Amino acid sequence: MAIPHIEKEVERRRTFAIISHPDAGKTTLTEKLLLYGGAIHLAGAVKAKKNQKNTTSDWMELEKQRGISISTSVLQFDYHGNQINLLDTPGHKDFSEDTYRTLTAADAAVMLIDAAKGVEPQTRKLFEVCRMRGLPIFTFINKLDRPSREPLDLIDELEKVLGIRSCPMAWPIGTGDRFRGVYDRISNEVLFFESEDRANQSGRLEPKKIDANDPDFWKMLGGPRGDLDEAKELYETFRSENELLEFAGDQFDHAAVLAGQLTPVFFGSAMNNFGVERFLQRFIELAPSPVGRVGVYDQRDAEPVKKVVVPTSDQFSGFFFKIQANMDPAHRDRVAFMRVCSGHFERNMEVTHSRLGKKVKLSKPLNFFAQERVIVEDAWPGDIVGMLDTTGELRIGDTVCTTAGGASVFEYQGVPRFSPEHFAQMLIKDPMKRKQLQKGLEQLAEEGVVQIYRQRGMGDKDPVLGAVGALQFEVLQHRLLGEYGVDTKIEKMGFVHARWVVGSDLRPEEFDRREDTRCLEDRDGQPVILFKSDWSLRWAVDNHKTLEFRTTAPEIRGTGKKK
Ligand code: G4P
């Protein structure tokens, strides 16, 4: 029997994350989006995290000390009947595997780019993760009110640097001091730019608009002084750029957008709240609602079978993509964040934990907002629910599902581990605390704070730690001390790349002999090679044609079984 309303509930959901380089304006954009959803009423409520005040996701001691958001949570709001789930990814200089993993719970990504800077390194890394998953990507080019690079240049860069085709949905007229607004290529309207201060003074809620076919439109490009020469010049540039886009640009193709092959591009200024609402509207129109995900069904005596589980299925299912211990230091609790993938989630529901093969009751589902915890009564595909993990049994990548009506148990394909770029060994100040250290390391590795690699033949002794961002080591030390009472020292190692290696010809000694490479094992006993430079990685790839060097670990799925 179909679940009432499920189609409608799935259809109205959009679950996405914003990817960007620090300072591109993610906090500012998030804040404006939340204002549209009425989720916050005070401008600056999100921003305040930088000033170390109460904020939406600022709960960890270290975050408070540094005034940054290290953890990831979800911001949910309603916009004209649509349920928006914005996965909040950390926006500080450093970033962690958490950021990558969050993208596995998203159905789309918004790539935010600073118009003066173009594609920056962190955006590129995050983009690669989105591409790996085939996520649809929407581009918002921000800070047009400031001196910017040529818009055509920026578009070109998307293709050259990221290798993605793009289709501008809007086009800016002028930039910086001469930024006059954006032309909406779909509605054929020009939206005139006004700084937020000026817009507030005039009490205008929406930007002034004009049809681009209006013969007098060009005269309005003269800015506050009404300079007609300037107006003419801006208009000519606008016209020739648009002609170029018409003839040489990629045509809009919704299927290509949904397949992650074409990115629709928007322009605006988040700080001035200009272009943001139009972007949100188009995003809702074009971004996908939750789609089916591949489930793996174990067979007794045969290879597992893979089948797509549709969100509108009667069978409830979800997977855990993030675990956070000690969210509330007073309670020392552990919260596992679940993405609902199919069916209807209801509080106190009994589900099967696929990896452990046992029934569990989901009795403490939570939502977090502005440091408040709210019990969730129900949720739909695309929603994120925090689950209080009282038994400590949940792991990243775990699937839960119902089995009513004889539905089979399955697991979603795992959440991959990503190759770290920072490596270190840990020294303990008090050797009596070795046991606590081991326990802490294991738990925090499970959360994904760091990855642990064994040195071959040394068992669990003196492991090498790997992190996607260097700040993760600081987080690790801070938490080991605060939560496990272990004071540690970190000794950084000179490696910069790690690759999981697949192939029967691997001879680990060959890599251990060299000064610039080292062969280790991950928690599942899979070989991982560390490299000290781009050059040594290239050398290995060129000279070992029979080996495959992977940037992500084979799936985490079923780690419990392997252990
Ligand atoms: P992030 O989360 O991506 O790191 O960026 P954030 O929103 O904090 O923005 C970084 C800086 O860029 C902030 O300035 C912010 O005000 C500014 N900014 C964001 N969007 C725009 C825009 O559209 N135009 C202009 N001109 N600036 C923008 P700040 O000086 O670091 O902070 P604040 O003093 O403004 O708070």
Side-chain angles (χ1 to χ4, degrees), residues 385-400:
V385 179
M387 208 68 66
L388 213 50
D389 179 20
T390 42
T391 58
E393 283 179 335
L394 294 173
R395 292 202 186 145
I396 288 166
D398 279 352
T399 299
V400 286

Side-chain angles (χ1 to χ4, degrees), residues 437-498:
L437 172 69
Q438 195 158 344
K439 183 168 170 229
L441 271 180
E442 252 166 46
Q443 288 232 348
L444 296 172
E446 216 135 78
E447 264 185 49
V449 176
V450 285
Q451 293 183 27
I452 300 180
Y453 302 106
R454 293 195 197 103
Q455 307 203 52
R456 290 183 322 111
M458 305 239 324
D460 286 330
K461 201 160 167 281
D462 298 333
V464 171
L465 309 175
V468 168
L471 187 70
Q472 281 172 256
F473 291 134
E474 253 180 77
V475 174
L476 176 74
Q477 281 185 291
H478 187 87
R479 292 188 56 185
L480 281 172
L481 184 62
E483 294 161 33
Y484 301 91
V486 189
D487 203 357
T488 54
K489 241 180 85 179
I490 282 283
E491 250 178 25
K492 297 219 167 127
M493 300 166 86
F495 298 101
V496 291
H497 298 298

